[in-house]
Amino acid sequence: MKQRKRPSNRIALVVGSHILDARKFSARLKALKKEAKGAKIACIGVDRGLAHLYRAGWVAHFALGDWDSLTTQEQGLLDLVEHETYSPDKVESDLALGLQFVEDIGANRIVVMGATGLHGKRPDHQLSTILEVTEFVWRNPSIRVVEARDDEGRWIWVRGGARGFSETVKKRGLVSIFSLGSADTRVTIKGLKFKVKSQTLDFHSHGLSNEGLGIGATISCTKGGLLLVWIGS
């Protein structure tokens, strides 16, 4: 894949084929635009994700896939956008190809919608997605946040590092907080049911089933990396 310019302060939106509810998808797009606060959003359609973007009124900046999930009519969208075509027998998953493209454009935050696997109906796909994004986060220190949103919740991969990471949210519901495998992951949690201050979080289940109380909750990571799983948000 050819090298592309690396603009700063860009959000990359990667949209896959697995969009079950078009209305909820449109609502998530509107929320993302509001959260961006004027930052550029580069839209990448992966396979039928291209059609989902256009159907929601968004324009794809690039598309990639083997196009096996596009209808004959939807394949006409390929004439409107720069794209790369892959063999159906490719080794990489569609998500892996989307993340590979994001590496080339220099985004510092990634939002994934419509990824096959996070819905839990195929546990092998779900595990593949978690491992794929985790490896991607460790490989790209300049990318601080990768977030996947679906109908069941939000999955957020974050890195600590020199600047650290901190997110303040005002939600109710379950949230699980896991180490991404680093032995020195250090986390502070305020405003959730279970709170900790600058505590080492090992690679196990100790962060399972915390609870948002509807007040301003802050989750901070100064070393290592975290996977946050918000249920139903």
Side-chain angles (χ1 to χ4, degrees):
M1 189 176 292
K2 63 183 180 181
Q3 193 72 21
R4 294 171 172 84
K5 294 181 179 179
R6 299 180 64 83
S8 60
N9 196 31
R10 170 173 281 189
I11 298 171
L13 171 64
V14 180
V15 179
S17 299
H18 196 80
I19 299 294
L20 299 179
D21 190 316
R23 185 174 59 181
K24 290 181 179 179
F25 176 56
S26 294
R28 286 196 291 271
L29 290 176
K30 290 179 181 178
L32 176 62
K33 187 174 183 179
K34 183 177 180 180
E35 293 166 16
K37 298 179 180 179
K40 294 179 179 179
I41 301 176
C43 300
I44 299 98
V46 181
D47 220 278
R48 203 178 186 202
L50 172 65
H52 292 311
L53 276 168
Y54 276 92
R55 194 171 292 116
W58 286 48
V59 176
H61 297 91
F62 193 82
L64 49 88
D66 54 32
W67 319 123
D68 59 349
S69 61
L70 287 179
T71 66
T72 301
Q73 183 177 5
E74 290 170 344
Q75 288 183 5
L77 294 172
L78 296 173
D79 296 330
L80 305 178
V81 61
E82 182 183 359
H83 62 273
E84 291 189 15
T85 300
Y86 294 83
S87 166
D89 297 324
K90 62 187 182 301
V91 175
E92 303 92 340
S93 67
D94 287 344
L95 176 61
L97 294 175
L99 292 176
Q100 179 183 339
F101 179 83
V102 168
E103 285 187 78
D104 290 337
I105 66 172
N108 53 30
R109 178 185 172 198
I110 304 168
V111 176
V112 179
M113 300 184 189
T116 302
L118 291 181
H119 50 80
K121 295 181 180 179
R122 283 284 303 271
D124 53 341
H125 278 263
Q126 187 179 55
L127 180 58
S128 172
T129 297
I130 294 170
L131 294 175
E132 191 84 63
V133 180
T134 299
E135 192 274 336
F136 175 81
V137 168
W138 285 125
R139 194 174 69 241
N140 292 275
S142 63
I143 297 175
R144 310 305 305 285
V145 179
V146 179
E147 178 180 350
R149 305 182 185 186
D150 63 14
D151 292 345
E152 297 181 3
R154 298 169 67 184
W155 304 61
I156 307 172
W157 289 257
V158 302
R159 284 193 62 155
R163 290 177 294 163
F165 165 83
S166 181
E167 179 182 67
T168 299
V169 292
K170 191 175 182 179
K171 297 178 182 176
R172 292 186 178 274
L174 293 177
V175 56
S176 292
I177 304 168
F178 303 108
S179 167
L180 290 183
S182 172
D184 62 349
T185 296
R186 192 166 293 276
V187 61
T188 295
I189 301 171
K190 303 176 182 178
L192 297 181
K193 183 176 181 180
F194 303 107
K195 308 168 185 64
V196 297
K197 182 177 181 181
S198 192
Q199 180 172 310
T200 298
L201 184 64
D202 296 325
F203 193 38
H204 49 48
S205 62
H206 285 184
L208 186 66
S209 297
N210 210 324
E211 186 176 344
L213 304 175
I215 61 177
T218 301
I219 302 167
S220 304
C221 177
T222 54
K223 287 186 177 181
L226 298 175
L227 171 57
L228 317 178
V229 184
W230 287 91
I231 306 300
S233 59

